[in-house]
Amino acid sequence: MELWQVPVLFSRLPMFPFFDLAHYVASVMALKEQRGAVEVSVRSPIACWFSAMLYCFGGSVLSSLMLAEPPIAFLAKGTNILLASSVWYLVFYCPQDIFYRCFAFLPLRLLVAGMKEVTRTWKITAGVAHADSHFKDAWLVMVAVGWARGAGGGLISNFEQLVRGVWKPETNELLKMSYPVKVTLIGAVLFTLQHSQYLPIARHNLVFLYTIFLVVSKVTMMLTRSAASPFAPIEAALGHMFFGLQKTPSKVKGEGTTSSNGSSVCDRSSEQHRDSVKKRQAKKTE
């Protein structure tokens, strides 16, 4: 086998069952590590199961809604649902938590996380192609559906939290995007340009290079235990250049302190006024 054939063979890898299994394991483990998820699994197993399915198939649900297709179409894949449900049961209800502890072992967790990133690439490409079959050469639709298919679990995180009885609108991914959502959006743009033949690179080469970048960056972030995005310096520069974004925490903090001081001064003056009124009334009564 020659070196140039590696990207071609890589682009033909089947996702089922091993890569899909890794995706389900990583997703359900991430759900279990959410605050209050274990309590929900004890109080309401059905709600916990539904949350796990949203973690595993959130991209399919969101992309189906965007294309006016049945959002429950993923339930028709009985084998995948059975596999994901088995993983959910073992992660939450395995005796002595053996299954979770086994995959929490760092080498295994790195392997599972890397395989999950491989499935992200396949989902983006599938979403772009699926959108193009509905809306020919509609760039924005292809980008949106590819983004939703690859990062749907994060984009519908608020709805998933509602299933567990949690409402945190400040965690909306559109307000503060996490790294997986950002890198998926970049991938959706790249694969849309390649699909429309505006990016001079073969599809299998782009799949290979993008996936390698995803896996390397994910493994590096896990090893260094860093949540900072590799795109942070570029984002800061572009934000300042095009939108005039500046760091304003100190200014806001200063305004907060002045307002709090102002309110405290008002409170003190009102208290002094009340004391003086009471003293006058006491003198009158004397």
Side-chain angles (χ1 to χ4, degrees):
M1 182 180 64
E2 298 182 3
L3 186 62
W4 64 270
Q5 293 179 324
V6 174
V8 177
L9 296 176
F10 180 79
S11 63
R12 296 174 182 174
L13 279 176
M15 293 294 102
F16 186 83
F18 299 109
F19 287 92
D20 284 339
L21 177 62
H23 167 67
Y24 301 150
V25 171
S27 300
V28 179
M29 288 180 65
L31 170 61
K32 186 173 184 177
E33 292 167 355
Q34 296 296 316
R35 180 176 297 179
V38 176
E39 289 77 5
V40 172
S41 67
V42 176
R43 185 171 64 253
S44 177
I46 295 179
C48 182
W49 175 84
F50 191 65
S51 295
M53 296 304 104
L54 290 177
Y55 261 78
C56 295
F57 303 100
S60 298
V61 173
L62 185 57
S63 60
S64 297
L65 287 173
M66 296 174 68
L67 295 174
E69 295 177 348
I72 60 173
F74 73 95
L75 294 174
K77 301 178 181 179
T79 306
N80 294 76
I81 294 296
L82 181 61
L83 185 60
S85 300
S86 301
V87 171
W88 161 77
Y89 184 83
L90 291 173
V91 168
F92 279 94
Y93 303 103
C94 183
Q96 303 299 322
D97 219 9
I98 296 176
F99 188 86
Y100 175 82
R101 292 179 180 179
C102 178
F103 281 95
F105 183 55
L106 184 58
L108 278 179
R109 185 141 199 179
L110 292 176
L111 176 63
V112 168
M115 294 176 71
K116 175 182 170 64
E117 296 305 313
V118 175
T119 64
R120 188 185 304 277
T121 303
W122 263 248
K123 290 178 181 179
I124 296 173
T125 56
V128 170
H130 189 55
D132 185 56
S133 65
H134 284 68
F135 302 91
K136 196 67 178 177
D137 296 330
W139 289 16
L140 292 179
V141 177
M142 288 190 285
V143 170
V145 176
W147 187 29
R149 183 70 68 88
L155 292 173
I156 64 171
S157 58
N158 288 109
F159 177 70
E160 182 276 325
Q161 290 172 357
L162 279 177
V163 174
R164 294 187 284 113
V166 179
W167 174 239
K168 293 182 179 180
E170 68 276 5
T171 61
N172 188 348
E173 285 285 350
L174 295 180
L175 294 176
K176 188 177 181 181
M177 291 188 189
S178 59
Y179 171 70
V181 175
K182 291 178 183 178
V183 77
T184 304
L185 177 59
I186 294 174
V189 173
L190 292 176
F191 283 105
T192 297
L193 293 176
Q194 191 280 327
H195 189 82
S196 302
Q197 298 181 353
Y198 286 96
L199 193 63
I201 185 174
R203 178 181 175 276
H204 57 267
N205 289 330
L206 181 59
V207 167
F208 182 75
L209 294 175
Y210 179 74
T211 307
I212 291 298
F213 173 77
L214 287 182
V215 173
V216 171
S217 59
K218 181 66 175 181
V219 171
T220 302
M221 292 174 68
M222 291 181 66
L223 289 175
T224 58
R225 297 182 180 180
S226 172
S229 171
F231 306 119
I234 302 176
E235 292 173 8
L238 293 178
H240 179 71
M241 182 183 303
F242 293 104
F243 303 105
L245 298 180
Q246 298 178 355
K247 295 182 179 179
T248 57
S250 59
K251 189 181 294 184
V252 174
K253 188 175 181 180
E255 293 175 357
T257 54
T258 55
S259 63
S260 62
N261 291 335
S263 61
S264 62
V265 170
C266 293
D267 293 339
R268 291 174 184 172
S269 61
S270 61
E271 290 177 359
Q272 292 175 357
H273 179 69
R274 291 174 184 173
D275 293 338
S276 62
V277 170
K278 289 181 180 179
K279 289 179 180 179
R280 290 175 186 174
Q281 291 177 352
K283 290 181 179 179
K284 288 181 180 180
T285 55
E286 290 177 354

Short mmCIF file of all heavy atoms in Angstrom, two decimals, residues 50-78:
data_model
loop_
_atom_site.label_atom_id
_atom_site.label_comp_id
_atom_site.label_asym_id
_atom_site.label_seq_id
_atom_site.Cartn_x
_atom_site.Cartn_y
_atom_site.Cartn_z
N PHE A 50 -33.58 9.24 28.09
CA PHE A 50 -33.86 10.20 27.03
C PHE A 50 -32.74 11.23 26.90
O PHE A 50 -32.37 11.63 25.78
CB PHE A 50 -35.19 10.89 27.32
CG PHE A 50 -35.71 11.70 26.16
CD1 PHE A 50 -36.08 11.10 24.97
CD2 PHE A 50 -35.81 13.09 26.26
CE1 PHE A 50 -36.54 11.84 23.90
CE2 PHE A 50 -36.28 13.83 25.20
CZ PHE A 50 -36.65 13.21 24.02
N SER A 51 -32.18 11.66 28.02
CA SER A 51 -31.04 12.57 27.98
C SER A 51 -29.85 11.92 27.28
O SER A 51 -29.15 12.56 26.49
CB SER A 51 -30.66 13.01 29.39
OG SER A 51 -31.68 13.75 29.99
N ALA A 52 -29.62 10.64 27.58
CA ALA A 52 -28.51 9.93 26.95
C ALA A 52 -28.71 9.82 25.45
O ALA A 52 -27.76 9.97 24.66
CB ALA A 52 -28.37 8.54 27.57
N MET A 53 -29.95 9.58 25.00
CA MET A 53 -30.22 9.50 23.56
C MET A 53 -30.01 10.85 22.89
O MET A 53 -29.55 10.92 21.74
CB MET A 53 -31.64 9.00 23.33
CG MET A 53 -31.91 7.58 23.81
SD MET A 53 -30.78 6.33 23.11
CE MET A 53 -29.68 6.03 24.52
N LEU A 54 -30.32 11.94 23.58
CA LEU A 54 -30.06 13.26 23.02
C LEU A 54 -28.57 13.53 22.91
O LEU A 54 -28.11 14.18 21.96
CB LEU A 54 -30.73 14.34 23.89
CG LEU A 54 -32.25 14.39 23.84
CD1 LEU A 54 -32.78 15.46 24.80
CD2 LEU A 54 -32.75 14.67 22.43
N TYR A 55 -27.81 13.03 23.89
CA TYR A 55 -26.35 13.15 23.80
C TYR A 55 -25.81 12.36 22.61
O TYR A 55 -24.89 12.81 21.93
CB TYR A 55 -25.71 12.65 25.10
CG TYR A 55 -25.32 13.75 26.06
CD1 TYR A 55 -26.27 14.36 26.86
CD2 TYR A 55 -23.99 14.17 26.17
CE1 TYR A 55 -25.93 15.37 27.74
CE2 TYR A 55 -23.64 15.17 27.05
CZ TYR A 55 -24.61 15.77 27.83
OH TYR A 55 -24.26 16.78 28.70
N CYS A 56 -26.36 11.20 22.39
CA CYS A 56 -25.84 10.31 21.34
C CYS A 56 -26.36 10.68 19.95
O CYS A 56 -25.62 10.57 18.96
CB CYS A 56 -26.21 8.87 21.65
SG CYS A 56 -25.46 8.18 23.15
N PHE A 57 -27.62 11.11 19.85
CA PHE A 57 -28.25 11.34 18.55
C PHE A 57 -28.75 12.78 18.40
O PHE A 57 -29.63 13.04 17.59
CB PHE A 57 -29.42 10.37 18.35
CG PHE A 57 -29.04 8.93 18.46
CD1 PHE A 57 -29.27 8.23 19.63
CD2 PHE A 57 -28.44 8.27 17.41
CE1 PHE A 57 -28.92 6.89 19.75
CE2 PHE A 57 -28.08 6.94 17.50
CZ PHE A 57 -28.32 6.24 18.67
N GLY A 58 -28.20 13.69 19.18
CA GLY A 58 -28.65 15.08 19.11
C GLY A 58 -28.45 15.69 17.74
O GLY A 58 -29.27 16.50 17.28
N GLY A 59 -27.38 15.33 17.05
CA GLY A 59 -27.14 15.86 15.71
C GLY A 59 -28.21 15.45 14.72
O GLY A 59 -28.67 16.26 13.90
N SER A 60 -28.63 14.19 14.79
CA SER A 60 -29.69 13.72 13.90
C SER A 60 -31.01 14.41 14.19
O SER A 60 -31.76 14.77 13.27
CB SER A 60 -29.85 12.20 14.05
OG SER A 60 -28.66 11.53 13.68
N VAL A 61 -31.32 14.61 15.48
CA VAL A 61 -32.57 15.27 15.86
C VAL A 61 -32.59 16.70 15.35
O VAL A 61 -33.57 17.14 14.71
CB VAL A 61 -32.75 15.23 17.38
CG1 VAL A 61 -33.96 16.05 17.80
CG2 VAL A 61 -32.89 13.80 17.88
N LEU A 62 -31.52 17.45 15.59
CA LEU A 62 -31.50 18.87 15.21
C LEU A 62 -31.50 19.04 13.70
O LEU A 62 -32.21 19.90 13.16
CB LEU A 62 -30.28 19.54 15.83
CG LEU A 62 -30.16 21.05 15.62
CD1 LEU A 62 -31.40 21.76 16.15
CD2 LEU A 62 -28.91 21.58 16.30
N SER A 63 -30.69 18.25 12.99
CA SER A 63 -30.65 18.37 11.52
C SER A 63 -31.98 17.98 10.89
O SER A 63 -32.39 18.56 9.88
CB SER A 63 -29.52 17.51 10.96
OG SER A 63 -29.70 16.14 11.29
N SER A 64 -32.67 17.01 11.47
CA SER A 64 -33.99 16.63 10.96
C SER A 64 -34.99 17.75 11.14
O SER A 64 -35.79 18.04 10.25
CB SER A 64 -34.48 15.36 11.66
OG SER A 64 -33.63 14.26 11.39
N LEU A 65 -34.95 18.41 12.28
CA LEU A 65 -35.84 19.55 12.51
C LEU A 65 -35.56 20.68 11.52
O LEU A 65 -36.49 21.32 11.02
CB LEU A 65 -35.67 20.06 13.94
CG LEU A 65 -36.26 19.20 15.06
CD1 LEU A 65 -35.85 19.75 16.42
CD2 LEU A 65 -37.78 19.13 14.95
N MET A 66 -34.30 20.91 11.21
CA MET A 66 -33.94 21.99 10.29
C MET A 66 -34.40 21.70 8.87
O MET A 66 -34.71 22.63 8.11
CB MET A 66 -32.43 22.21 10.33
CG MET A 66 -31.91 22.69 11.67
SD MET A 66 -30.11 22.78 11.73
CE MET A 66 -29.79 24.13 10.60
N LEU A 67 -34.48 20.43 8.50
CA LEU A 67 -34.90 20.05 7.15
C LEU A 67 -36.35 19.61 7.09
O LEU A 67 -36.78 19.02 6.11
CB LEU A 67 -33.99 18.93 6.62
CG LEU A 67 -32.52 19.31 6.40
CD1 LEU A 67 -31.70 18.09 6.01
CD2 LEU A 67 -32.41 20.39 5.33
N ALA A 68 -37.11 19.90 8.15
CA ALA A 68 -38.54 19.56 8.22
C ALA A 68 -38.78 18.06 8.06
O ALA A 68 -39.74 17.64 7.42
CB ALA A 68 -39.32 20.35 7.16
N GLU A 69 -37.90 17.29 8.66
CA GLU A 69 -38.05 15.84 8.67
C GLU A 69 -38.44 15.39 10.08
O GLU A 69 -38.25 16.15 11.04
CB GLU A 69 -36.74 15.16 8.24
CG GLU A 69 -36.35 15.46 6.81
CD GLU A 69 -35.02 14.84 6.43
OE1 GLU A 69 -34.30 14.37 7.34
OE2 GLU A 69 -34.70 14.83 5.22
N PRO A 70 -38.96 14.17 10.24
CA PRO A 70 -39.35 13.71 11.58
C PRO A 70 -38.15 13.68 12.52
O PRO A 70 -37.15 13.02 12.23
CB PRO A 70 -39.90 12.30 11.33
CG PRO A 70 -40.29 12.29 9.91
CD PRO A 70 -39.33 13.20 9.20
N PRO A 71 -38.20 14.38 13.65
CA PRO A 71 -37.06 14.39 14.57
C PRO A 71 -36.84 13.05 15.27
O PRO A 71 -35.79 12.86 15.89
CB PRO A 71 -37.42 15.49 15.57
CG PRO A 71 -38.91 15.56 15.53
CD PRO A 71 -39.30 15.24 14.12
N ILE A 72 -37.83 12.15 15.20
CA ILE A 72 -37.68 10.84 15.84
C ILE A 72 -37.22 9.79 14.84
O ILE A 72 -37.30 8.58 15.11
CB ILE A 72 -38.99 10.39 16.50
CG1 ILE A 72 -40.11 10.30 15.45
CG2 ILE A 72 -39.36 11.34 17.63
CD1 ILE A 72 -41.40 9.72 16.00
N ALA A 73 -36.73 10.22 13.67
CA ALA A 73 -36.30 9.26 12.65
C ALA A 73 -35.14 8.40 13.14
O ALA A 73 -34.98 7.26 12.70
CB ALA A 73 -35.90 10.00 11.38
N PHE A 74 -34.34 8.94 14.07
CA PHE A 74 -33.21 8.16 14.57
C PHE A 74 -33.67 6.91 15.32
O PHE A 74 -32.91 5.94 15.44
CB PHE A 74 -32.33 9.03 15.48
CG PHE A 74 -32.92 9.32 16.83
CD1 PHE A 74 -32.59 8.54 17.92
CD2 PHE A 74 -33.80 10.38 17.01
CE1 PHE A 74 -33.12 8.81 19.18
CE2 PHE A 74 -34.33 10.65 18.25
CZ PHE A 74 -34.00 9.86 19.34
N LEU A 75 -34.90 6.92 15.82
CA LEU A 75 -35.41 5.75 16.54
C LEU A 75 -35.63 4.57 15.61
O LEU A 75 -35.76 3.43 16.08
CB LEU A 75 -36.72 6.10 17.25
CG LEU A 75 -36.62 7.12 18.39
CD1 LEU A 75 -38.00 7.47 18.91
CD2 LEU A 75 -35.74 6.60 19.51
N ALA A 76 -35.68 4.83 14.31
CA ALA A 76 -35.85 3.74 13.35
C ALA A 76 -34.60 2.87 13.23
O ALA A 76 -34.69 1.73 12.77
CB ALA A 76 -36.23 4.30 11.98
N LYS A 77 -33.47 3.39 13.66
CA LYS A 77 -32.23 2.61 13.64
C LYS A 77 -32.17 1.77 14.91
O LYS A 77 -31.53 2.12 15.89
CB LYS A 77 -31.02 3.54 13.55
CG LYS A 77 -31.03 4.43 12.31
CD LYS A 77 -29.83 5.37 12.30
CE LYS A 77 -29.84 6.27 11.09
NZ LYS A 77 -28.68 7.21 11.08
N GLY A 78 -32.88 0.65 14.86
CA GLY A 78 -33.01 -0.17 16.06
C GLY A 78 -31.70 -0.67 16.62
O GLY A 78 -31.51 -0.71 17.84
#
